[in-house]
């Protein structure tokens, strides 16, 4: 039996004694996708995470280029430091002087996926635990946190274990939770909108299931042509690559118009990566020869060359 136990009693005591910061969530509408790296942060924020081994993380204030710690003489190498984290950590959002972080234990079959949300406020000199969950999956399996997104009051975390991927939905405000099991071992969770969750199966077909309610019957959204090597989704379009000899072609399928357009020809081995920064959706094209991205403004794809 799979269950997710919400540590309500201990959290109530912590919040009562310390006066937890209020989690307001994020304003969300339309579609939001998973980025390719859980530790990616918006470059416009005042905070960033730095790590040398992706095992230990330090929270930095980018305005002052200093560690976000107010303890005199701190070496920033123990759990007493408000800026030091020993598990996979990601910045969720920033509100005024507060920064909210996800921290998740992984590669530990005994812990089996405990994850939490922190709030750090340098001005008030406070680090507070906002919410905590613990997965208990059978058989015991070490969990790897792949990517994360926020939608309103919810966090959606794509996780991977030996048997494949699964999706965790956690409401940070009230502790409600839900687990979505993958239909097959190669399932690729793409993102969510107001009512649906989207994923691609092992054949790169795109499906949707309801975020709430009893009916979890998958509905087919898009069937790709043969030869697809990568697929993702943005607001009103499916973006995918098709291998053509030693090159790959990037296509956009308009979900409303049901029309397909060739965007660009790129090199073999290209990887598509969804990004959402500064209110704009982008599909980053990671190409062995050059890097570029597709911007989506008002559901209109615009090709942008950007050699990196």
């Amino acid at each position: 039996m799979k269950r997710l136990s919400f540590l309500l009693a201990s959290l109530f005591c912590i919040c009562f004694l310390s006066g937890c910061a209020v989690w307001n969530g994020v304003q969300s509408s339309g579609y939001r996708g998973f980025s390719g790296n859980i530790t990616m942060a918006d470059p416009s924020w005042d905070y960033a995470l730095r790590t040398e081994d992706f095992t230990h993380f330090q929270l930095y204030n980018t305005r002052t280029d200093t560690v976000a710690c107010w303890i005199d003489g701190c070496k920033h190498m123990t759990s007493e430091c408000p800026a030091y984290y020993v598990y996979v950590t990601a910045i969720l959002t920033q509100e005024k002087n507060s920064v909210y972080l996800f921290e998740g234990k992984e590669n530990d079959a005994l812990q089996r996926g405990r994850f939490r949300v922190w709030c750090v406020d340098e001005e008030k000199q406070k680090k507070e635990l906002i919410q905590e969950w613990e997965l208990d999956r059978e058989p015991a399996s070490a969990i790897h946190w792949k990517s994360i997104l926020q939608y309103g009051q919810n966090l959606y975390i794509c996780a991977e274990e030996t048997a494949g991927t699964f999706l965790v939905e956690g409401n940070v405000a009230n502790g409600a939770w839900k687990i979505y099991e993958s239909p097959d071992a190669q399932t690729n969770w793409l993102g969510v909108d107001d009512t649906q969750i989207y994923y691609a199966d092992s054949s790169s077909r795109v499906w949707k299931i309801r975020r709430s309610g009893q009916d979890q019957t998958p509905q087919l959204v898009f069937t790709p042509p043969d030869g697809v090597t990568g697929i993702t989704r943005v607001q009103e379009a499916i973006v995918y690559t098709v291998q053509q000899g030693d090159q790959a072609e990037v296509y956009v399928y308009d979900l409303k118009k049901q029309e397909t357009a060739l965007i660009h020809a790129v090199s073999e081995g290209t990887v598509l990566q969804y990004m959402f920064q500064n209110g704009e959706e982008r599909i980053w094209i990671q190409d062995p020869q050059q890097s570029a991205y597709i911007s989506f403004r008002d559901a209109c794809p615009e090709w942008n060359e950007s050699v990196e």
Side-chain angles (χ1 to χ4, degrees), residues 125-142:
Q125 297 188 352
K126 283 187 176 181
K127 177 183 177 180
E128 299 176 309
L129 183 63
I130 303 300
Q131 199 65 271
E132 183 173 19
W133 298 264
E134 184 175 352
L135 289 101
D136 187 5
R137 296 173 66 79
E138 297 177 359
S141 176

Side-chain angles (χ1 to χ4, degrees), residues 244-262:
Q244 301 286 352
D246 60 353
Q247 281 197 326
E249 295 177 337
V250 181
Y251 290 87
V252 173
Y253 176 78
D254 190 307
L255 290 167
K256 285 187 174 181
K257 297 179 181 179
Q258 297 186 352
E259 296 176 352
T260 301
L262 172 64

